[in-house]
């Protein structure tokens, strides 16, 4: 069974001074970089970077041809690594990610990236629906606080609520440290 790493949306707009700053983005990206380095050493050709580009400027971030849409330097793709461009939360929707994975005989995925409650959740659920055995490195993901009417849900609670919802039926959840052992 072949395993691939999917690095989802670790882009400049999610970092301090970006247009959609996330809670704990630097720590999550540092952990994602450790997992990426492990894959570069052990699974060289099975690395896929996903880059979200806004198809509607009203989104306000990840606007094409801006620094904010660029993949962050800590996980900058190498020449031999694939970059998948997407326009939706789900990394599989209207992209060639699934066909590229099938082409390489990939059956297992390891997912890291941003935002836990949106693109990570959508990508992990889609991956499982497509038949991939999926591992999510929870401390290599980041999100932000959410609001509903007058209720504010802190980022850490948002993160763990979505991690908890994905655990078991959708993904094996682990930490960077546990994965690297």
């Amino acid at each position: 069974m072949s395993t691939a790493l999917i690095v989802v949306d670790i882009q400049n707009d999610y970092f301090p001074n970006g247009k959609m700053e996330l809670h704990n983005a630097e720590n999550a990206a540092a952990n994602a970089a450790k997992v990426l380095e492990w894959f570069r050493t052990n699974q060289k050709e099975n690395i896929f970077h996903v880059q979200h580009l806004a198809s509607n400027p009203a989104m306000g971030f990840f606007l094409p041809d801006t620094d904010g849409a660029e993949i962050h330097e800590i996980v900058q793709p190498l020449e031999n690594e694939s970059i998948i461009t997407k326009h939706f939360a789900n990394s599989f929707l209207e992209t060639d990610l699934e066909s590229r994975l099938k082409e390489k005989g990939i059956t297992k995925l390891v997912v890291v990236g941003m935002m836990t409650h949106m693109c990570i959740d959508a990508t992990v659920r889609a991956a499982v629906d497509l038949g991939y055995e999926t591992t999510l490195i929870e401390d290599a993901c980041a999100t932000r606080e959410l609001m509903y009417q007058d209720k504010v849900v802190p980022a850490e609670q948002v993160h763990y609520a979505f991690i908890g919802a994905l655990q078991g039926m959708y993904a094996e959840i682990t930490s960077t440290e546990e994965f690297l052992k």
Side-chain angles (χ1 to χ4, degrees):
M1 285 195 230
S2 271
T3 303
L5 174 65
I6 311 295
V7 182
V8 180
D9 300 351
I10 301 183
Q11 296 168 244
N12 292 334
D13 271 341
Y14 282 151
F15 289 82
N17 304 312
K19 292 182 178 174
M20 181 58 73
E21 186 175 338
L22 301 184
H23 171 75
N24 214 20
E26 290 103 332
N27 289 341
N31 285 331
K34 290 175 189 173
V35 174
L36 176 58
E37 199 51 48
W38 185 90
F39 268 84
R40 285 176 172 161
T41 301
N42 297 288
Q43 301 275 342
K44 295 175 183 32
E45 70 280 346
N46 294 339
I47 298 169
F48 297 83
H49 297 265
V50 178
Q51 181 182 29
H52 194 137
L53 294 178
S55 53
N56 181 349
M59 187 166 143
F61 64 104
F62 291 164
L63 302 176
D65 304 316
T66 65
D67 182 61
E70 295 301 313
I71 294 173
H72 194 274
E73 65 187 4
I74 196 167
V75 292
Q76 197 59 230
L78 299 179
E79 252 182 55
N80 64 323
E81 296 170 357
S82 298
I83 299 174
I84 307 291
T85 301
K86 71 178 177 76
H87 304 290
F88 301 97
N90 173 354
S91 297
F92 292 92
L93 184 60
E94 295 183 18
T95 72
D96 63 351
L97 178 57
E98 183 183 12
S99 64
R100 289 192 191 193
L101 294 171
K102 283 185 174 182
E103 200 174 275
K104 292 178 173 270
I106 302 294
T107 58
K108 293 181 173 185
L109 302 178
V110 174
V111 177
V112 299
M114 301 175 179
M115 291 191 283
T116 310
H117 75 278
M118 188 62 70
C119 298
I120 297 302
D121 182 65
T123 297
V124 167
R125 289 174 187 269
V128 172
D129 289 346
L130 292 168
Y132 295 97
E133 187 180 320
T134 305
T135 298
L136 178 59
I137 314 287
E138 68 88 7
D139 61 353
C141 297
T143 198
R144 64 186 183 95
E145 75 177 20
L146 295 178
M147 290 186 65
Y148 174 72
Q149 294 179 355
D150 63 342
K151 309 283 188 271
V152 176
V153 184
E156 187 176 28
Q157 290 179 16
V158 171
H159 178 76
Y160 287 112
F162 277 82
I163 294 299
L166 291 171
Q167 181 177 340
M169 201 166 151
Y170 281 98
E172 175 190 340
I173 307 295
T174 193
S175 68
T176 302
E177 185 179 337
E178 285 298 312
F179 177 80
L180 296 176
K181 280 185 179 178

